[in-house]
Amino acid sequence: MRALLLEQHDGKTLASVRDISPEQLPAGEVTVDISWSSLNYKDALAITGKGKIIRQFPMVPGIDFAGTIHSSEDPRFHIGQSVLLTGWGVGENHWGGLAEQARVHGEWLVPLPAGLDARKAMIIGTAGFTAMLCVMALEEGGVTPESGEIVVTGASGGVGSTAIALLSALGYQVAAISGREANNDYLLSLGAKRVLPRSDFSDASRPLEKQLWAGAIDTVGDTLLAKVLAQMNYNSTVAACGLAGGYKLPTTVMPFILRNVRLQGVDSVMTPQLRRRAAWDRLLKTLPESYYQQAGREITLEQAPAVAAELMENQVTGRTLVKVR
């Protein structure tokens, strides 16, 4: 079987496609023949070695995949069944999806929803799954289409792109924040009503600023999230799921106390199974068919290291689909 293998030499991470034996796969009850995977920001951090994602080598990266059951000791899954996986530390501390096979624990797998094929599942992938969890967090915070405008940061990335498509399909008015003017037409085609340059949010925010947003989905963190928090409407919700801009948050308690703002963290890695299945069912029902043509770029396993480097340089728009077989 072919796999993208990460090894470490002299403190540097080296990535190469190798032929390895399926017997080298880690322990697990279910072996999956992988047809499609994807390239996410966390994968790029791992492959390039620019983030401390991998702590044991060798490692096969890839935090999500879709395919069919090759063999199973778990009675919930049978040979030939279509499944998908996101999270659970796969591609970080357990060999992941950028390979022709993976062996995993059965409780990590989700049966592929009827009407969704493996390729579409990986156009959605971890990024789209996370975006759906963020939308659900806004809904649970009481944010409706009638509440007002929703702002999405890091809009050109996988989470941001899918969040725009989901929110638009659900009837929300969406403002997209992007650092790449060349992507404006792309973001508008996904459903954003307007696109704001990231430079408008680069200066340090005051503790409270003019109220602009009924809700927010943030993938960036740091000073951009602080700026957005200062601009939230009274009784609004911010779903924060990423830290591409940094892990610090230079803000005050004033938005939370004086404007009743709710900051909801969203983690997709350890999401319980019932919520996972609910999110995937909603993704299938909500995403328009056009999304699958707009948001996906297809690459081979061999191209993954080069594209990972591009992703780290903010040169990748939307979702990157990896054709494993």
PDB file of all heavy atoms in Angstrom, residues 223-243:
ATOM      1  N   THR A 223      -5.647  38.960  17.558  1.00  0.00           N
ATOM      2  CA  THR A 223      -6.160  40.330  17.499  1.00  0.00           C
ATOM      3  C   THR A 223      -7.420  40.448  16.650  1.00  0.00           C
ATOM      4  O   THR A 223      -8.266  41.307  16.918  1.00  0.00           O
ATOM      5  CB  THR A 223      -5.092  41.287  16.950  1.00  0.00           C
ATOM      6  OG1 THR A 223      -4.643  40.812  15.671  1.00  0.00           O
ATOM      7  CG2 THR A 223      -3.904  41.369  17.890  1.00  0.00           C
ATOM      8  N   LEU A 224      -7.567  39.590  15.631  1.00  0.00           N
ATOM      9  CA  LEU A 224      -8.768  39.650  14.802  1.00  0.00           C
ATOM     10  C   LEU A 224      -9.998  39.238  15.606  1.00  0.00           C
ATOM     11  O   LEU A 224     -11.047  39.894  15.544  1.00  0.00           O
ATOM     12  CB  LEU A 224      -8.613  38.762  13.566  1.00  0.00           C
ATOM     13  CG  LEU A 224      -9.789  38.730  12.584  1.00  0.00           C
ATOM     14  CD1 LEU A 224     -10.231  40.137  12.190  1.00  0.00           C
ATOM     15  CD2 LEU A 224      -9.436  37.927  11.345  1.00  0.00           C
ATOM     16  N   LEU A 225      -9.884  38.176  16.384  1.00  0.00           N
ATOM     17  CA  LEU A 225     -10.997  37.765  17.231  1.00  0.00           C
ATOM     18  C   LEU A 225     -11.307  38.839  18.273  1.00  0.00           C
ATOM     19  O   LEU A 225     -12.479  39.117  18.561  1.00  0.00           O
ATOM     20  CB  LEU A 225     -10.687  36.430  17.914  1.00  0.00           C
ATOM     21  CG  LEU A 225     -11.709  35.920  18.929  1.00  0.00           C
ATOM     22  CD1 LEU A 225     -13.100  35.822  18.330  1.00  0.00           C
ATOM     23  CD2 LEU A 225     -11.273  34.575  19.503  1.00  0.00           C
ATOM     24  N   ALA A 226     -10.276  39.458  18.831  1.00  0.00           N
ATOM     25  CA  ALA A 226     -10.498  40.527  19.804  1.00  0.00           C
ATOM     26  C   ALA A 226     -11.278  41.680  19.182  1.00  0.00           C
ATOM     27  O   ALA A 226     -12.181  42.253  19.810  1.00  0.00           O
ATOM     28  CB  ALA A 226      -9.156  41.024  20.340  1.00  0.00           C
ATOM     29  N   LYS A 227     -10.944  42.029  17.947  1.00  0.00           N
ATOM     30  CA  LYS A 227     -11.642  43.104  17.242  1.00  0.00           C
ATOM     31  C   LYS A 227     -13.112  42.743  17.026  1.00  0.00           C
ATOM     32  O   LYS A 227     -14.012  43.554  17.251  1.00  0.00           O
ATOM     33  CB  LYS A 227     -10.957  43.359  15.901  1.00  0.00           C
ATOM     34  CG  LYS A 227     -11.468  44.565  15.135  1.00  0.00           C
ATOM     35  CD  LYS A 227     -10.880  45.840  15.666  1.00  0.00           C
ATOM     36  CE  LYS A 227     -11.141  47.004  14.736  1.00  0.00           C
ATOM     37  NZ  LYS A 227     -10.550  48.271  15.245  1.00  0.00           N
ATOM     38  N   VAL A 228     -13.350  41.529  16.585  1.00  0.00           N
ATOM     39  CA  VAL A 228     -14.717  41.072  16.336  1.00  0.00           C
ATOM     40  C   VAL A 228     -15.525  41.082  17.634  1.00  0.00           C
ATOM     41  O   VAL A 228     -16.683  41.528  17.660  1.00  0.00           O
ATOM     42  CB  VAL A 228     -14.709  39.672  15.694  1.00  0.00           C
ATOM     43  CG1 VAL A 228     -16.104  39.050  15.705  1.00  0.00           C
ATOM     44  CG2 VAL A 228     -14.187  39.745  14.261  1.00  0.00           C
ATOM     45  N   LEU A 229     -14.943  40.610  18.718  1.00  0.00           N
ATOM     46  CA  LEU A 229     -15.647  40.585  20.002  1.00  0.00           C
ATOM     47  C   LEU A 229     -16.085  41.985  20.429  1.00  0.00           C
ATOM     48  O   LEU A 229     -17.184  42.166  20.963  1.00  0.00           O
ATOM     49  CB  LEU A 229     -14.756  39.969  21.079  1.00  0.00           C
ATOM     50  CG  LEU A 229     -14.608  38.447  21.052  1.00  0.00           C
ATOM     51  CD1 LEU A 229     -13.459  38.008  21.947  1.00  0.00           C
ATOM     52  CD2 LEU A 229     -15.904  37.771  21.468  1.00  0.00           C
ATOM     53  N   ALA A 230     -15.245  42.970  20.173  1.00  0.00           N
ATOM     54  CA  ALA A 230     -15.576  44.346  20.551  1.00  0.00           C
ATOM     55  C   ALA A 230     -16.716  44.914  19.716  1.00  0.00           C
ATOM     56  O   ALA A 230     -17.340  45.908  20.110  1.00  0.00           O
ATOM     57  CB  ALA A 230     -14.344  45.232  20.413  1.00  0.00           C
ATOM     58  N   GLN A 231     -17.021  44.271  18.570  1.00  0.00           N
ATOM     59  CA  GLN A 231     -18.053  44.770  17.660  1.00  0.00           C
ATOM     60  C   GLN A 231     -19.349  43.956  17.706  1.00  0.00           C
ATOM     61  O   GLN A 231     -20.263  44.211  16.916  1.00  0.00           O
ATOM     62  CB  GLN A 231     -17.510  44.757  16.219  1.00  0.00           C
ATOM     63  CG  GLN A 231     -16.312  45.663  16.007  1.00  0.00           C
ATOM     64  CD  GLN A 231     -15.737  45.552  14.612  1.00  0.00           C
ATOM     65  OE1 GLN A 231     -16.059  44.625  13.862  1.00  0.00           O
ATOM     66  NE2 GLN A 231     -14.877  46.488  14.243  1.00  0.00           N
ATOM     67  N   MET A 232     -19.442  43.009  18.616  1.00  0.00           N
ATOM     68  CA  MET A 232     -20.626  42.150  18.651  1.00  0.00           C
ATOM     69  C   MET A 232     -21.841  42.882  19.212  1.00  0.00           C
ATOM     70  O   MET A 232     -21.734  43.715  20.114  1.00  0.00           O
ATOM     71  CB  MET A 232     -20.341  40.902  19.490  1.00  0.00           C
ATOM     72  CG  MET A 232     -19.226  40.005  18.950  1.00  0.00           C
ATOM     73  SD  MET A 232     -19.471  39.472  17.233  1.00  0.00           S
ATOM     74  CE  MET A 232     -20.963  38.489  17.408  1.00  0.00           C
ATOM     75  N   ASN A 233     -23.007  42.508  18.673  1.00  0.00           N
ATOM     76  CA  ASN A 233     -24.267  43.043  19.184  1.00  0.00           C
ATOM     77  C   ASN A 233     -24.531  42.529  20.601  1.00  0.00           C
ATOM     78  O   ASN A 233     -23.960  41.520  21.040  1.00  0.00           O
ATOM     79  CB  ASN A 233     -25.442  42.607  18.301  1.00  0.00           C
ATOM     80  CG  ASN A 233     -25.411  43.249  16.939  1.00  0.00           C
ATOM     81  OD1 ASN A 233     -24.586  44.109  16.655  1.00  0.00           O
ATOM     82  ND2 ASN A 233     -26.314  42.810  16.074  1.00  0.00           N
ATOM     83  N   TYR A 234     -25.444  43.200  21.281  1.00  0.00           N
ATOM     84  CA  TYR A 234     -25.904  42.714  22.575  1.00  0.00           C
ATOM     85  C   TYR A 234     -26.559  41.339  22.395  1.00  0.00           C
ATOM     86  O   TYR A 234     -27.337  41.105  21.473  1.00  0.00           O
ATOM     87  CB  TYR A 234     -26.921  43.685  23.183  1.00  0.00           C
ATOM     88  CG  TYR A 234     -27.293  43.325  24.607  1.00  0.00           C
ATOM     89  CD1 TYR A 234     -26.512  43.751  25.673  1.00  0.00           C
ATOM     90  CD2 TYR A 234     -28.402  42.519  24.865  1.00  0.00           C
ATOM     91  CE1 TYR A 234     -26.830  43.401  26.980  1.00  0.00           C
ATOM     92  CE2 TYR A 234     -28.719  42.154  26.163  1.00  0.00           C
ATOM     93  CZ  TYR A 234     -27.929  42.597  27.209  1.00  0.00           C
ATOM     94  OH  TYR A 234     -28.247  42.227  28.505  1.00  0.00           O
ATOM     95  N   ASN A 235     -26.221  40.397  23.294  1.00  0.00           N
ATOM     96  CA  ASN A 235     -26.807  39.058  23.325  1.00  0.00           C
ATOM     97  C   ASN A 235     -26.452  38.245  22.074  1.00  0.00           C
ATOM     98  O   ASN A 235     -27.270  37.488  21.556  1.00  0.00           O
ATOM     99  CB  ASN A 235     -28.325  39.125  23.481  1.00  0.00           C
ATOM    100  CG  ASN A 235     -28.891  37.857  24.101  1.00  0.00           C
ATOM    101  OD1 ASN A 235     -28.232  37.225  24.931  1.00  0.00           O
ATOM    102  ND2 ASN A 235     -30.093  37.477  23.709  1.00  0.00           N
ATOM    103  N   SER A 236     -25.243  38.381  21.593  1.00  0.00           N
ATOM    104  CA  SER A 236     -24.788  37.669  20.398  1.00  0.00           C
ATOM    105  C   SER A 236     -23.879  36.501  20.781  1.00  0.00           C
ATOM    106  O   SER A 236     -23.504  36.335  21.937  1.00  0.00           O
ATOM    107  CB  SER A 236     -24.048  38.637  19.475  1.00  0.00           C
ATOM    108  OG  SER A 236     -22.968  39.252  20.173  1.00  0.00           O
ATOM    109  N   THR A 237     -23.505  35.690  19.767  1.00  0.00           N
ATOM    110  CA  THR A 237     -22.664  34.516  19.992  1.00  0.00           C
ATOM    111  C   THR A 237     -21.532  34.482  18.988  1.00  0.00           C
ATOM    112  O   THR A 237     -21.738  34.729  17.798  1.00  0.00           O
ATOM    113  CB  THR A 237     -23.482  33.213  19.875  1.00  0.00           C
ATOM    114  OG1 THR A 237     -24.469  33.185  20.916  1.00  0.00           O
ATOM    115  CG2 THR A 237     -22.600  31.982  20.003  1.00  0.00           C
ATOM    116  N   VAL A 238     -20.344  34.157  19.480  1.00  0.00           N
ATOM    117  CA  VAL A 238     -19.171  33.955  18.628  1.00  0.00           C
ATOM    118  C   VAL A 238     -18.743  32.497  18.771  1.00  0.00           C
ATOM    119  O   VAL A 238     -18.509  32.016  19.884  1.00  0.00           O
ATOM    120  CB  VAL A 238     -18.007  34.876  19.045  1.00  0.00           C
ATOM    121  CG1 VAL A 238     -16.779  34.594  18.186  1.00  0.00           C
ATOM    122  CG2 VAL A 238     -18.418  36.336  18.943  1.00  0.00           C
ATOM    123  N   ALA A 239     -18.648  31.778  17.649  1.00  0.00           N
ATOM    124  CA  ALA A 239     -18.141  30.407  17.633  1.00  0.00           C
ATOM    125  C   ALA A 239     -16.688  30.456  17.177  1.00  0.00           C
ATOM    126  O   ALA A 239     -16.402  30.836  16.039  1.00  0.00           O
ATOM    127  CB  ALA A 239     -18.973  29.539  16.697  1.00  0.00           C
ATOM    128  N   ALA A 240     -15.770  30.095  18.063  1.00  0.00           N
ATOM    129  CA  ALA A 240     -14.340  30.160  17.768  1.00  0.00           C
ATOM    130  C   ALA A 240     -13.786  28.752  17.607  1.00  0.00           C
ATOM    131  O   ALA A 240     -13.890  27.932  18.521  1.00  0.00           O
ATOM    132  CB  ALA A 240     -13.599  30.890  18.884  1.00  0.00           C
ATOM    133  N   CYS A 241     -13.173  28.481  16.448  1.00  0.00           N
ATOM    134  CA  CYS A 241     -12.724  27.113  16.171  1.00  0.00           C
ATOM    135  C   CYS A 241     -11.288  27.038  15.682  1.00  0.00           C
ATOM    136  O   CYS A 241     -10.801  25.940  15.386  1.00  0.00           O
ATOM    137  CB  CYS A 241     -13.645  26.459  15.140  1.00  0.00           C
ATOM    138  SG  CYS A 241     -13.584  27.267  13.527  1.00  0.00           S
ATOM    139  N   GLY A 242     -10.596  28.175  15.525  1.00  0.00           N
ATOM    140  CA  GLY A 242      -9.250  28.114  14.965  1.00  0.00           C
ATOM    141  C   GLY A 242      -8.335  29.161  15.538  1.00  0.00           C
ATOM    142  O   GLY A 242      -8.765  30.120  16.187  1.00  0.00           O
ATOM    143  N   LEU A 243      -7.041  28.972  15.276  1.00  0.00           N
ATOM    144  CA  LEU A 243      -6.037  29.913  15.773  1.00  0.00           C
ATOM    145  C   LEU A 243      -4.944  30.135  14.738  1.00  0.00           C
ATOM    146  O   LEU A 243      -3.760  30.248  15.062  1.00  0.00           O
ATOM    147  CB  LEU A 243      -5.445  29.431  17.102  1.00  0.00           C
ATOM    148  CG  LEU A 243      -5.208  27.933  17.316  1.00  0.00           C
ATOM    149  CD1 LEU A 243      -4.029  27.421  16.521  1.00  0.00           C
ATOM    150  CD2 LEU A 243      -5.030  27.641  18.780  1.00  0.00           C
TER     151      LEU A 243
END
